[in-house]
Amino acid sequence: MIWPLLYAALWKLAPPLIGHYLRRRARKQPEYLQHWDERWARGEPRADDAHGAIWVHAVSVGETRAAAPLVAALRARWPDKPLLITQMTPTGRETALSLYPDACVRYLPYDAPDAVARFLGRYQPMFGVLMETELWPHLIAGCRAHGVPLFLANARLSERSARGYRRAAGLIGPALASLDGVAAQSEDDAARLRALGARQVAVCGNLKFDITPPPQAAALAAQLRQWRGERPLWMAASTREGEEALLLDALPADSPAVLLLTPRHPQRFAEVAELLRARGIPFQRRSDNTALRADTRVWLGDSMGEMFAYYQAVDLAFIGGSLLPLGGQNLIEPAAVGCPVLIGPSTFNFAEVTRLALAEGAARQVADADELHRTVATLLADPDTRQRMGAAGLAFAQRHRGATARTLAHLLGCVGEVVD
């Protein structure tokens, strides 16, 4: 019983600390100061509040994009129901507004019991879907108390995260057990979730395999290829803090290739530009909307929502978050458009996907930045191998599609009688 009491006490102390945290984040991203009332489910009701909605919570950009196939399936199943999308980050909110312009988009309130009660009382969702591993004990308990079925979709749980949750098993176990169902990405994820107390767990696969490129991506990719000209172009995608310095310090001075460098978080675009200036590396920004200059060595991908176009425009892509012990980012998107993939040593966030991609020849793994640059040079000089890797990536992505249908079927099996 001690964990729930400690957790409840924490939320009595949390508001001023959270206010300080949001103001600090706002120094780099002012949007963190907007919609403050939503963080605590305060404020007057709004005309576009979605009552009785299908509710999907996706914490940030990756989860919001991953939810797209499931959201489409849910809307097809319940076409007359409004859609409520909640986030935790400004970039996630911006992505949701772009992908779902007719939805009610809000921040999920912090996990204080009174905020949870206000949120559920205001929107009274028909049911909720939490994307990946968003486990908020008071939210889950509040849904149970308000009779709101709650489902965990595209769930993943690394061994590292499982160890942390086991230390708070008295808090996390009851929360997991209170969920109405769980759609896990892999057998390993399912086993870890069951061991922590989850019930009604099914292995449904990864929803990210069912994402399709937006129609405008192909046209933008053609424009980017025109701007790059005949020079080789490779990409370091979704890089995290600390990785750009490693990549740039190891960048070969005599390489004819251009590096398309795309930091994962937009608030770091200026920071990465400063890294390039400090090293005297000629670069230009994607947002300049101009062709590559002859002296440009790095193209800074300072845009949002264009990753599919980037993957279709480059010769190969390295997936960031994997050079440092950060667990890696999503390699499914480049594979799905036939882009050869390189990945670093840290892959625990996408362990099963990475294992499959490596086994099926869609990706290669490198140990560090120096090996990455050597491998890039080798592959850029070997179009036949790149073609084989791209074809393997297409086959890999196609082979593992179908998670949306399996997830929807499991959701209906768990909560269908309640919501139909």
Side-chain angles (χ1 to χ4, degrees), residues 54 56 64 66-77 83 85 100 404:
I54 296 169
V56 177
T64 304
L70 182 60
V71 168
L74 292 171
R75 298 187 107 173
R77 179 66 177 74
L83 175 65
I85 304 285
Y100 317 110
T404 302

Side-chain angles (χ1 to χ4, degrees), residues 47-394:
D48 61 341
D49 283 344
H51 301 283
I54 296 169
W55 163 41
V56 177
H57 175 62
V59 61
S60 194
V61 175
E63 295 84 359
T64 304
R65 293 193 180 283
L70 182 60
V71 168
L74 292 171
R75 298 187 107 173
R77 179 66 177 74
W78 289 283
D80 298 326
K81 287 291 182 181
L83 175 65
L84 170 65
I85 304 285
T86 56
Q87 333 284 145
M88 295 298 289
T89 70
T91 49
R93 184 189 184 98
E94 182 181 347
T95 301
L97 289 168
S98 173
L99 291 176
Y100 317 110
D102 59 339
C104 173
V105 177
R106 301 286 187 267
Y107 283 129
L108 184 74
Y110 289 112
D111 205 34
D114 55 345
V116 167
R118 287 192 294 268
F119 172 81
L120 294 172
R122 173 172 294 185
Y123 297 103
Q124 301 174 7
M126 181 170 71
F127 64 89
V129 177
L130 306 177
M131 289 296 297
E132 303 204 358
T133 316
E134 277 288 284
L135 300 176
W136 294 103
H138 288 156
L139 178 69
I140 295 171
C143 286
R144 177 69 65 177
H146 282 75
V148 177
L150 196 58
F151 189 84
L152 187 63
N154 217 40
R156 60 184 173 93
L157 187 66
S158 69
E159 181 54 39
R160 175 185 293 192
S161 295
R163 286 196 298 271
Y165 282 145
R166 282 194 289 270
R167 288 193 285 270
L171 182 67
I172 296 300
L176 280 169
S178 295
L179 294 169
D180 292 273
V182 176
Q185 292 186 19
S186 72
E187 292 286 357
D188 287 344
D189 295 314
R192 293 181 190 118
L193 288 160
R194 290 190 192 102
L196 285 168
R199 303 176 298 109
Q200 300 268 65
V201 182
V203 178
C204 297
N206 192 327
L207 291 170
K208 292 179 180 178
F209 282 107
D210 292 348
I211 298 173
T212 55
Q216 65 271 24
L220 178 56
Q223 177 65 76
L224 295 172
R225 286 193 296 271
Q226 180 181 340
W227 282 343
R228 67 176 270 195
E230 298 301 316
R231 298 178 68 183
L233 179 66
W234 68 285
M235 178 180 182
S238 298
T239 53
R240 304 278 295 276
E241 186 171 5
E243 291 188 312
E244 296 92 359
L246 294 174
L247 289 166
L248 297 176
D249 288 343
L251 190 67
D254 58 351
S255 173
V258 176
L259 166 60
L260 173 59
L261 181 57
T262 60
R264 176 166 174 77
H265 298 113
Q267 61 268 32
R268 296 191 58 247
F269 291 160
E271 175 187 333
V272 175
E274 192 55 41
L275 289 177
L276 288 158
R277 289 191 194 95
R279 286 161 175 77
I281 298 174
F283 76 98
Q284 63 191 86
R285 293 174 177 268
R286 153 70 186 96
S287 58
D288 291 340
N289 287 315
T290 58
L292 285 176
R293 299 186 303 267
D295 68 334
T296 295
R297 299 186 63 207
V298 174
W299 206 355
L300 179 57
D302 59 344
S303 62
M304 293 291 293
E306 296 184 350
M307 294 298 282
F308 270 116
Y310 288 164
Y311 289 134
Q312 292 177 74
V314 300
D315 297 308
L316 59 96
F318 166 75
I319 306 304
S322 63
L323 273 184
L324 294 175
L326 300 168
Q329 303 299 149
N330 176 22
L331 61 77
I332 297 170
E333 289 185 359
V337 295
C339 179
V341 172
L342 299 176
I343 189 82
S346 181
T347 63
F348 58 81
N349 286 332
F350 294 88
E352 179 68 5
V353 168
T354 302
R355 184 187 68 79
L356 293 170
L358 292 170
E360 297 178 29
R364 289 188 180 183
Q365 195 162 32
V366 298
D368 53 33
D370 289 326
E371 185 181 355
L372 169 61
H373 285 295
R374 290 195 299 270
T375 305
V376 167
T378 299
L379 288 174
L380 289 177
D382 188 351
D384 290 340
T385 297
R386 294 203 313 274
Q387 192 278 330
R388 287 194 296 270
M389 289 180 68
L394 290 169

